[in-house]
Amino acid sequence: GAGVSQSPSNKVTEKGKDVELRCDPISGHTALYWYRQSLGQGLEFLIYFQGNSAPDKSGLPSDRFSAERTGGSVSTLTIQRTQQEDSAVYLCASSLRGGTEEQYFGPGTRLTVT
Amino acid sequence: SQQGEEDPQALSIQEGENATMNCSYKTSINNLQWYRQNSGRGLVHLILIRSNEREKHSGRLRVTLDTSKKSSSLLITASRAADTASYFCATDNVQAGTALIFGKGTTLSVSS
């Protein structure tokens, strides 16, 4: 079946604008994760959705960042009033049951804030 | 805070040689995973080793886990140019639960 997909693959935006990044997880996967990766760095955890439970938002760096997961499937990460330091690759992953299982990653969205 | 840290940060070898990467972590874990990333895009899961396991093999990959030293190693035998990538270890945190925590990775370059 299809893997995790993300859109857009690249996004260039002006400082101060809002952006929305989309993630389509693997069908049937109950857990969905968002990470951020700056150039040459590791993955920074942002947010974790597990089924109908309240999401773990502990990794969101500021209140400009928010995420939704509608109907337990598609997720949207929104960054308001983007700053240059928000430039990074945003990666989405899903897993079948969550927790610390194997995660399947999408190709990422490369965000550039000018 | 960083849970897993890989060592070395960068490794360059010739095709056919073995590559060893190490990962150290700080807290008790349920399992440790290794992922590969090509060209700064999505990660691919390589192998998962549970805290009660000491060694695991998958093809040319061999992973060891020493929970007393809070460390793991990934060995790639008979490396190929196609193994050129960044390799990350990821651990959970028994106390914190939820998501995996990734290290900064080892960049492996295999030249032919």
Side-chain angles (χ1 to χ4, degrees):
Chain A
V4 177
S5 61
Q6 292 185 244
S7 60
S9 57
N10 287 285
K11 176 72 176 178
V12 180
T13 190
E14 292 180 352
K15 177 181 171 181
K17 296 283 180 73
D18 298 352
V19 295
E20 285 189 351
L21 312 180
R22 177 187 167 107
C23 172
D24 282 87
I26 293 173
S27 177
H29 279 196
T30 63
L32 187 147
Y33 311 80
W34 282 99
Y35 298 90
R36 178 170 71 174
Q37 185 178 32
S38 300
L39 187 63
Q41 298 296 307
L43 274 68
E44 175 188 4
F45 165 70
L46 297 177
I47 189 168
Y48 164 43
F49 295 90
Q50 172 57 60
N52 296 321
S53 302
D56 176 357
K57 303 180 182 180
S58 61
L60 295 179
S62 78
D63 59 8
R64 295 186 296 104
F65 288 72
S66 63
E68 292 185 334
R69 189 178 185 194
T70 53
S73 180
V74 171
S75 177
T76 302
L77 176 70
T78 301
I79 308 173
Q80 295 179 311
R81 305 181 302 281
T82 52
Q83 304 294 313
Q84 288 188 330
E85 60 262 29
D86 299 334
S87 296
V89 175
Y90 289 81
L91 291 160
C92 174
S94 69
S95 69
L96 185 59
R97 285 180 294 270
T100 57
E101 286 190 334
E102 170 184 353
Q103 295 182 15
Y104 296 81
F105 281 79
T109 293
R110 185 177 299 280
L111 175 65
T112 303
V113 182
T114 60
Chain B
S1 62
Q2 204 71 34
Q3 165 74 318
E5 290 193 9
E6 293 87 347
D7 167 61
Q9 288 187 328
L11 180 61
S12 295
I13 58 174
Q14 298 285 319
E15 262 191 323
E17 294 180 338
N18 296 340
T20 300
M21 289 159 269
N22 303 296
C23 170
S24 59
Y25 58 92
K26 297 175 183 174
T27 65
S28 297
I29 61 172
N30 291 307
N31 65 53
L32 183 145
Q33 303 180 39
W34 285 91
Y35 287 80
R36 185 180 77 189
Q37 184 180 39
N38 290 84
S39 304
R41 288 292 184 157
L43 279 71
V44 174
H45 181 264
L46 295 176
I47 198 165
L48 180 153
I49 186 165
R50 301 197 185 280
S51 59
N52 61 353
E53 297 176 306
R54 292 296 167 258
E55 187 170 313
K56 204 161 183 181
H57 296 254
S58 177
R60 295 183 295 111
L61 305 181
R62 173 178 166 249
V63 169
T64 62
L65 179 63
D66 187 334
T67 52
S68 67
K69 295 181 180 179
K70 292 187 169 57
S71 68
S72 173
S73 67
L74 170 67
L75 168 68
I76 304 174
T77 60
S79 63
R80 306 166 182 169
D83 295 329
T84 296
S86 292
Y87 292 81
F88 295 87
C89 70
T91 55
D92 63 347
N93 180 321
V94 172
Q95 281 103 21
T98 63
L100 297 176
I101 304 172
F102 287 79
K104 291 186 177 181
T106 292
T107 300
L108 173 66
S109 297
V110 182
S111 53
S112 54

